[in-house]
Amino acid sequence: MPARLIPETPAYINDAEKQVTESLVKTLPDEVTVLHSVRITDWTSDREGDLLILWPNVGIAVIEIKGGRVEPIASGKFKQTSRNGTSKEIDPVDQARKSLYAIRDYALDHSSLNKWFKSVFMVAVPHSRIAMDYQSPLASRAQFIDTNDLRLGADLVHTALSLDHRNYSLPTAENCEQIISALESKIPDVHDPAKLAEFLDERNEWVANESKQLERLLDFAEAMNRFELRGPAGSGKTTLALAQAHKLTKQGKRVIYLCYNHALAAKVRHDEEKLDKPDRIATVTNAETIARSWGISIPEERDNHFWKRVLPLQLKETLERAQPSDLFDAIVVDEAQDFSAEWWSAILALLKDQNSGELFIFGDDAQNIFNQDESRNLDLPQLRLQSNIRNSQQISELASHLTDHKVHSTGLEGPDVLFLAVPEDDEIVDAADEIVDMMLEKYREDQVTLLMTKSRHGIQKEQEKFHPDTYLKGIWDPGQVFYSTVSKFKGLERRCVVLGVDGFHDDQDPREVLYVGITRAIDILCIVAHRSTLAKYLPESAIEKLESNTYNPVLPESVDGDESEEVD
């Protein structure tokens, strides 16, 4: 039997935490309890013990975990280098020491214990090596667990405790339970977004590091001048698409990054403008904008036939008369499932050499909400991603019911998805607005998006009508909730999403619209819908799980001063 872990499903903020915790839990005996992320905060300091090990009749250990490459430098400190190459000076030994003392003092103050027990502070560096002869004023080599020690982690904790020959008492099983009772309130509840929010910045770094690892896939495809990469929502396709575009740009090639919708292109263009000019992709654009840039007029009256067939044919005819200097050496297409066969003919015409020019496309079969995914006629070599690294496991699990492709979720744990059932469809918008207001009690405006599955929200209509040039800036505006339809928000994401299910357009697959909408949320998702609507597309088990929440992760306390109410 493995050791007991509290909480059972921790909110790991990086792979290092997960690796060390799982290794220790697996190797420690079953009478041991491992507490993950014990945070002690008072008016003087904020201390967090990554792991607290309570071992009856052996002792207590606090372990500070550091990922990346960790190397000792002068004065007992270390240099930590992340996967993206950035370095900083850290002092994990002192962090572990102070965390141990903070935990000790809190436990003694909040329990009936009148003494402390044999204890040790330790540092785990699962991605680094520490020389066997390492020594510092505060710690010996025995207090470190490095990449070679992981499988022996339990033995090392036991050894580190046994090296302290001072006459401290050993904790009994009852003593350990008293300490657990005192500290449980200091362990962040993964289902409480107010506490989860404290970790989101570090969580973003974890996702960025995971995405960076994906870029190694591009090295394997170095010899390919064309390929098609498919993957589920949250798998890092856009990260890879941009990495490929920048890689080609550094090679001196004229590159175009192309997607179908305005919002994604606007966000990527905004991010590109932060880079030095030589590092920027030559052209970042979307389907409609590139057609306009070649002088094609867009009539006021247009339908799906125009967007899908007429416009790309006009663009192709125009491009056939273009000078080679106006065309591109390489094309990177994101959200490739949005383009019809006619669009692919026009896209190929953007290349200086249609036969040997470089073409790299990235898409998701399950996000074909425009029903025009026709890239397979290109007969490109196929690459596939299968893991969702972006969305919380709860969001990824719900989305998995809406796709036929098997998706492996490696994202962090998060709060359960909230389902606000409304009795009438015409109440959906008002109910969604109320949820947004409640979310703003705990989250910044730029962390919240309201998405509608069919009709535009009134605020979106007004902004697009009176402020069309600035509407899309709301995607990155730090002081603004962003209002959009699901189809216009494809390829984008936000920390908190309110999804109003107000119906579906006749030419769209409702399952795919719901899949896209759900997976736009990274951590917090609230679905506002009529139960019968969701029941058409989700299995009864998923509906029951949505309805079984015994708490509400977003609703604030009642303004009347009563206890906060739960919404089923």
Side-chain angles (χ1 to χ4, degrees):
M1 289 286 289
R4 176 172 52 151
L5 177 61
I6 299 176
E8 292 184 6
T9 55
Y12 298 117
I13 61 172
N14 54 47
D15 181 63
E17 273 196 10
K18 183 176 182 180
Q19 195 174 355
V20 173
T21 304
E22 291 182 349
S23 176
L24 282 169
V25 168
K26 187 184 299 183
T27 56
L28 286 163
D30 58 6
E31 69 264 24
V32 174
T33 300
V34 179
L35 280 67
H36 176 268
S37 188
V38 181
R39 174 163 290 190
I40 307 297
T41 303
D42 59 29
W43 68 275
T44 60
S45 63
D46 183 9
R47 303 292 178 198
E48 180 186 359
D50 290 333
L51 293 180
L52 173 65
I53 296 175
L54 302 172
W55 198 333
N57 303 312
V58 175
I60 298 168
V62 170
I63 302 179
E64 179 71 23
I65 303 171
K66 295 298 182 185
R69 188 171 72 252
V70 177
E71 307 168 83
I73 54 178
S75 305
K77 296 184 180 180
F78 292 77
K79 181 176 77 170
Q80 181 185 43
T81 305
S82 66
R83 290 172 179 170
N84 62 14
T86 60
S87 297
K88 62 181 178 181
E89 184 179 298
I90 60 173
D91 193 346
V93 174
D94 192 52
Q95 282 182 269
R97 181 181 66 85
K98 290 179 178 177
S99 294
L100 171 59
Y101 295 152
I103 289 170
R104 177 201 64 187
D105 294 345
Y106 185 90
L108 290 174
D109 288 343
H110 293 79
S111 71
S112 59
L113 295 171
N114 56 17
K115 63 180 178 181
W116 194 239
F117 308 96
K118 177 176 284 192
S119 53
V120 66
F121 52 87
M122 302 181 70
V123 175
V125 287
H127 304 149
S128 304
R129 293 178 180 175
I130 303 295
M132 295 306 296
D133 60 354
Y134 174 82
Q135 192 78 23
S136 80
L138 282 179
S140 67
R141 176 61 178 83
Q143 290 168 257
F144 287 83
I145 301 173
D146 72 3
T147 186
N148 294 328
D149 300 329
L150 277 179
R151 61 187 178 86
L152 303 172
D155 293 337
L156 291 177
V157 173
H158 194 286
T159 299
L161 284 164
S162 66
L163 291 176
D164 185 353
H165 299 295
R166 290 175 294 180
N167 191 28
Y168 284 112
S169 299
L170 300 180
T172 65
E174 182 182 352
N175 295 149
C176 291
E177 290 302 320
Q178 289 175 289
I179 294 171
I180 292 169
S181 296
L183 294 174
E184 275 192 303
S185 65
K186 294 300 178 181
I187 301 173
D189 178 2
V190 69
H191 296 299
D192 182 348
K195 294 180 181 178
L196 182 66
E198 298 174 4
F199 297 97
L200 290 181
D201 288 339
E202 292 179 82
R203 178 203 185 287
N204 287 346
E205 182 179 348
W206 177 82
V207 173
N209 286 337
E210 290 294 303
S211 300
K212 200 73 177 176
Q213 292 299 303
L214 284 176
E215 293 181 22
R216 291 183 298 179
L217 179 63
L218 301 179
D219 295 333
F220 290 111
E222 180 73 33
M224 302 168 68
N225 74 334
R226 295 189 177 192
F227 64 69
E228 177 175 14
L229 185 146
R230 293 271 169 160
S235 59
K237 297 184 300 298
T238 295
T239 297
L240 284 175
L242 291 170
Q244 182 71 357
H246 285 126
K247 186 176 184 179
L248 296 165
T249 298
K250 288 180 180 178
Q251 295 171 4
K253 294 170 182 174
R254 190 163 189 261
V255 182
I256 179 173
Y257 168 95
L258 177 67
C259 61
Y260 195 77
N261 67 322
H262 283 282
L264 177 57
K267 176 63 167 61
V268 172
R269 194 159 47 244
H270 169 74
D271 292 342
E272 286 293 302
E273 290 170 356
K274 299 175 185 177
L275 304 177
D276 293 336
K277 198 166 184 179
D279 298 329
R280 297 177 193 171
I281 302 166
T283 299
V284 173
T285 190
N286 67 294
E288 179 183 348
T289 303
I290 194 169
R292 290 184 185 275
S293 71
W294 282 90
I296 298 173
S297 61
I298 309 295
E300 291 186 9
E301 297 294 329
R302 58 268 181 112
D303 55 16
N304 286 340
H305 177 72
F306 172 81
W307 294 116
K308 189 175 182 178
R309 308 293 181 199
V310 176
L311 184 59
L313 288 175
Q314 290 180 356
L315 178 60
K316 180 186 176 185
E317 291 173 358
T318 302
L319 290 171
E320 288 173 347
R321 301 189 295 270
Q323 296 297 315
S325 59
D326 294 328
L327 300 177
F328 298 89
D329 301 305
I331 301 174
V332 174
V333 180
D334 201 2
E335 299 290 312
Q337 72 279 350
D338 294 344
F339 291 94
S340 64
E342 287 80 4
W343 269 110
W344 287 114
S345 294
I347 289 169
L348 288 172
L350 286 164
L351 287 168
K352 293 177 181 178
D353 187 331
Q354 293 192 33
N355 295 317
S356 62
E358 297 183 73
L359 175 65
F360 306 96
I361 72 177
F362 301 77
D364 180 4
D365 307 8
Q367 297 188 56
N368 181 27
I369 65 176
F370 300 131
N371 291 317
Q372 52 192 42
D373 185 0
E374 297 173 344
S375 65
R376 283 172 178 74
N377 295 333
L378 298 171
D379 197 27
L380 300 179
Q382 297 285 308
L383 304 174
R384 179 166 284 279
L385 302 175
Q386 294 182 314
S387 296
N388 182 334
I389 63 174
R390 176 185 67 202
N391 304 115
S392 73
Q393 291 195 15
Q394 284 77 359
I395 291 170
S396 183
E397 178 187 355
L398 180 61
S400 69
H401 296 296
L402 298 162
T403 176
D404 297 328
H405 295 281
K406 187 176 181 179
V407 179
H408 177 55
S409 175
T410 59
L412 300 178
E413 287 282 335
D416 288 339
V417 176
L418 174 65
F419 171 41
L420 181 58
V422 294
E424 302 293 339
D425 287 346
D426 59 7
E427 298 177 7
I428 288 173
V429 173
D430 288 342
D433 285 340
E434 290 183 14
I435 294 296
V436 167
D437 290 341
M438 294 171 183
M439 279 192 175
L440 293 177
E441 296 281 337
K442 297 181 178 180
Y443 304 98
R444 300 193 312 267
E445 286 87 347
D446 63 326
Q447 295 176 333
V448 180
T449 284
L450 192 157
L451 301 178
M452 304 299 295
T453 56
K454 183 179 181 181
S455 302
R456 291 182 299 164
H457 188 281
I459 292 177
Q460 180 186 351
K461 290 180 182 177
E462 182 178 357
Q463 289 176 341
E464 289 186 314
K465 180 178 180 180
F466 297 106
H467 309 284
D469 295 334
T470 60
Y471 165 67
L472 292 178
K473 293 181 181 178
I475 297 171
W476 57 84
D477 189 329
Q480 187 172 326
V481 175
F482 191 70
Y483 294 81
S484 177
T485 57
V486 169
S487 60
K488 288 192 175 184
F489 204 68
K490 285 178 81 282
L492 296 168
E493 61 196 42
R494 264 203 178 176
R495 207 167 266 180
C496 312
V497 169
V498 179
L499 179 62
V501 184
D502 64 332
F504 308 94
H505 292 288
D506 293 338
D507 59 346
Q508 294 182 346
D509 183 338
R511 292 178 79 242
E512 292 178 346
V513 174
L514 287 171
Y515 174 83
V516 173
I518 287 169
T519 55
R520 298 313 92 197
I522 299 175
D523 298 296
I524 313 296
L525 172 64
C526 175
I527 300 176
V528 182
H530 195 285
R531 187 190 194 280
S532 63
T533 302
L534 291 188
K536 294 176 184 177
Y537 312 108
L538 289 171
E540 186 63 23
S541 60
I543 301 292
E544 290 176 355
K545 187 168 184 179
L546 287 173
E547 294 180 320
S548 67
N549 294 346
T550 57
Y551 62 91
N552 188 319
V554 295
L555 297 181
E557 305 236 326
S558 169
V559 294
D560 295 325
D562 298 329
E563 293 185 1
S564 58
E565 299 179 359
E566 296 171 356
V567 175
D568 296 329

